[in-house]
Amino acid sequence: MAFIYPEPSRTFSEYLLIPGYTAADCVPQNVSLKTAVVKYRRGEVPDLTMNIPLVSAIMQSVSDDKMAIALAKEGGISFIYGSQSIESEAAMISRVKAYKAGFVVSDSNVRPDQTLADILALKEKTGHTTVAVTEDGSATGKLLGIVSSRDYRVSRMPLETKVAEFITPFEKLITAPESTTLKEANDIIWDHKLNALPILGAQQRLKYIVFRKDYDSHKENPAELLDQSKRYIVGAGINSRDYAQRVPALVEAGADLLCIDSSEGYSEWQKNTLEWVREHYGDRVKVGAGNVVDREGFLFLAKAGADFVKVGIGGGAICITREQKGIGRGQATALIEVAKARDEYFEESGVYVPICSDGGIVHDYHVTIALAMGADFLMLGRYFARFDESPTLRLNMNGNYVKEYWGEGSNRARNWQRYDMGGASKLSFEEGVDSYVPYAGALKDNVAQTLAKVRSTMCNAGALTIPELQQKARLTLVSSTSIVEGGAHDVILKNGPSAQAE
């Protein structure tokens, strides 16, 4: 008969942290959330670390270039979704890398014969007030001038006014050649009190624009995650089918980290993918693998060459793999077993392979529970889908704002590669749903609040770093009754339905 585990698999909600001794210097502002992202040998420093232990999920409804930029500003990494064309994914990677370099490819461009109405429509679409006027209206056409909000007054100008009549012409612009470094460009901006500096190539063609706001952004985001060229770090999803074509394109575009996106990672297809990457790139290209839920799965991927291993099957908010196939494991139990296997593997081999907990996060405190159980970092989908920066629509439903959120195993995503079992190239049945999540506002504000809770809880456990938390943390199982006790109970809430006069 089948092997049956004697203990039930458990979720994060079934555990609580027991407070430890808190020293006087153990205060939230002293807590470091820096964490390893890729494997390293004992005594060495990992090639890639994050300043916060959060990454965004490899999903169409979560991670595009806008999300990647916003999360990198806070110190985390987004994995651009791989269920799109190779060219499209590579273009998203390129936009992220170009953005932080300061040399931004203009996405607001018009011809001189267009009108003020076109300028306003473009502003509404992109949110940008600086518009490049080029000969052909393209991002790389011959630059003829710039239009900013200072060049027009909507209340005093007809909408049909031609752009040529109110632009700041090229002759009055301060520009710089393509050979200009970012430091030189920022010096020019400050010396001349500019908001934007056009960077030109041959024949007066626009190449990039450097903005003053990007310099200010660095000062406002001290935890931002940058590469050696001061560009934002970005990850990308790949699959076990077209990796021979996709990986080279993503590496060429500048991806810092890859991850095989699969619902189940204990397979020959993942091993083949990892071996191909190692054969063609050695250890230069970093690639994670998964997902697994036990010791055997972790050891398989670690020995196959994974730089990190993702843990979790069926625990995502939109995942119905457990319902459809009866496969998976409670996220807490899976994480505990894999973390133990990771530590044993480190002791035996001297190689530390970080693990990423993927799924099962319902409340902010679950992040701290997962870290205490051994996760090096967490991959979140629903959490990030709620924010302005996710690529989905914000809708008003019955007076409340929501954002669309769908699984990669849903018919909407049609990401059959994620659930590939070596058969037909199609999605035979759904393993994800199409849904909505409550709109939560800006990523920056929400991540700051979540991490404030994590830091505070770590101090309650007497820990100033994630490794120290894992060493000192004491966890206890909770009963269903104590879960009820942990929330508001036996009172009438002022803002609840019971408080309304009858």
Side-chain angles (χ1 to χ4, degrees):
M1 61 176 287
F3 174 80
I4 300 176
Y5 287 88
E7 294 292 325
S9 63
R10 301 186 182 278
T11 66
F12 295 134
S13 290
E14 296 178 78
Y15 289 89
L16 287 174
L17 277 161
I18 301 298
Y21 172 72
T22 303
D25 65 340
C26 196
V27 291
Q29 57 263 39
N30 290 340
V31 171
S32 169
L33 295 177
K34 191 169 184 177
T35 189
V37 180
V38 298
K39 66 183 178 184
Y40 59 93
R41 291 192 173 276
R42 183 182 286 109
E44 295 181 352
V45 176
D47 289 337
L48 182 58
T49 59
M50 287 190 296
N51 294 324
I52 64 173
L54 305 179
V55 301
S56 67
I58 312 170
M59 301 176 68
Q60 295 174 9
S61 55
V62 178
S63 298
D64 64 354
D65 48 310
K66 185 177 180 181
M67 175 62 72
I69 291 168
L71 186 50
K73 286 181 179 179
E74 302 308 310
I77 297 175
S78 280
F79 285 86
I80 303 295
Y81 67 92
S83 53
Q84 59 179 318
S85 71
I86 295 173
E87 294 75 19
S88 178
E89 187 177 10
M92 287 188 181
I93 296 293
S94 295
R95 287 197 291 272
V96 176
K97 303 308 286 190
Y99 186 97
K100 186 51 207 177
F103 297 97
V104 180
V105 176
S106 176
D107 66 353
S108 299
N109 312 285
V110 296
R111 301 184 309 275
D113 61 344
Q114 290 182 262
T115 65
L116 175 59
D118 295 317
I119 293 286
L120 297 178
L122 199 56
K123 179 182 176 182
E124 178 70 20
K125 178 182 177 182
T126 66
H128 299 157
T129 57
T130 299
V131 179
V133 183
T134 58
E135 199 168 57
D136 59 2
S138 73
T140 57
K142 182 178 180 181
L143 184 66
L144 302 180
I146 292 286
V147 171
S148 70
S149 56
R150 295 177 299 180
D151 292 315
Y152 58 86
R153 189 72 61 85
V154 176
S155 60
R156 297 186 179 184
M157 296 170 59
L159 293 179
E160 59 271 17
T161 305
K162 298 293 184 183
V163 170
E165 298 180 32
F166 59 88
I167 67 170
T168 299
F170 180 80
E171 295 74 27
K172 294 185 177 181
L173 295 178
I174 294 174
T175 64
E178 191 176 0
S179 59
T180 305
T181 66
L182 183 59
K183 183 181 184 306
E184 291 169 341
N186 282 323
D187 288 342
I188 294 171
I189 286 172
W190 284 99
D191 290 345
H192 295 275
K193 297 182 172 65
L194 305 175
N195 288 322
L197 175 68
I199 305 296
L200 304 181
Q203 300 176 328
Q204 206 173 304
R205 286 189 170 275
L206 179 64
K207 298 292 290 186
Y208 308 102
I209 300 179
V210 179
F211 293 95
R212 175 193 289 263
K213 66 177 179 63
D214 290 339
Y215 178 85
D216 294 338
S217 174
H218 175 64
K219 301 301 182 184
E220 296 170 3
N221 300 287
E224 63 184 355
L225 199 60
L226 308 175
D227 64 17
Q228 292 181 339
S229 300
K230 305 299 182 184
R231 303 175 301 176
Y232 285 132
I233 297 288
V234 61
I238 61 174
N239 60 68
S240 56
R241 283 273 182 152
D242 66 4
Y243 53 83
Q245 295 78 41
R246 190 173 294 268
V247 171
L250 301 181
V251 172
E252 176 67 24
D256 300 280
L257 183 63
L258 305 177
C259 184
I260 306 171
D261 184 28
S262 174
S263 65
E264 206 278 289
Y266 193 1
S267 73
E268 184 176 354
W269 296 281
Q270 292 227 358
K271 182 173 181 288
N272 292 342
T273 305
L274 290 167
E275 288 178 345
W276 186 92
V277 172
R278 295 294 171 243
E279 178 184 350
H280 290 80
Y281 295 96
D283 290 329
R284 180 169 63 87
V285 170
K286 307 301 182 183
V287 55
N291 287 18
V292 299
V293 292
D294 62 2
R295 170 189 175 83
E296 288 75 14
F298 169 82
L299 293 175
F300 174 80
L301 292 176
K303 292 174 182 177
D307 282 293
F308 67 88
V309 173
K310 272 204 300 147
V311 180
I313 294 177
I318 42 67
C319 184
I320 55 173
T321 295
R322 297 179 192 174
E323 290 181 24
Q324 294 284 55
K325 297 170 66 175
I327 289 176
R329 201 176 195 186
Q331 188 66 13
T333 300
L335 183 57
I336 290 168
E337 181 172 325
V338 171
K340 183 178 179 181
R342 177 212 47 207
D343 293 345
E344 291 175 354
Y345 183 74
F346 179 51
E347 287 300 315
E348 295 170 3
S349 68
V351 177
Y352 186 91
V353 181
I355 56 176
C356 169
S357 180
D358 180 14
I361 300 297
V362 180
H363 305 291
D364 283 346
Y365 82 87
H366 288 170
V367 174
T368 319
I369 296 288
L371 294 172
M373 288 179 172
D376 294 282
F377 56 99
L378 287 74
M379 178 171 281
L380 305 171
R382 180 195 61 85
Y383 178 87
F384 287 111
R386 304 172 301 146
F387 302 150
D388 288 321
E389 293 81 1
S390 73
T392 60
L393 295 173
R394 188 183 72 169
L395 307 173
N396 190 316
M397 294 183 64
N398 301 320
N400 296 311
Y401 282 108
V402 297
K403 294 206 74 175
E404 295 181 298
Y405 180 47
W406 61 91
E408 289 298 293
S410 67
N411 275 325
R412 182 170 184 174
R414 303 206 66 80
N415 183 9
W416 63 267
Q417 295 95 334
R418 188 178 199 275
Y419 302 87
D420 181 26
M421 296 298 291
S425 301
K426 64 178 183 179
L427 195 66
S428 301
F429 55 88
E430 289 187 285
E431 292 189 44
V433 299
D434 197 342
S435 63
Y436 302 102
V437 289
Y439 168 67
L443 178 147
K444 184 179 183 66
D445 297 335
N446 284 275
V447 167
Q449 184 178 67
T450 296
L451 295 181
K453 295 176 185 179
V454 172
R455 291 186 176 96
S456 179
T457 307
M458 287 175 63
C459 289
N460 291 141
L464 289 174
T465 66
I466 293 173
E468 189 178 11
L469 173 67
Q470 293 166 355
Q471 179 185 10
K472 292 183 174 181
R474 295 178 297 158
L475 292 157
T476 181
L477 279 168
V478 294
S479 68
S480 58
T481 305
S482 65
I483 291 175
V484 174
E485 181 185 62
H489 62 91
D490 301 319
V491 294
I492 299 174
L493 298 178
K494 290 185 177 180
N495 59 351
S498 300
Q500 297 176 1
E502 296 183 3

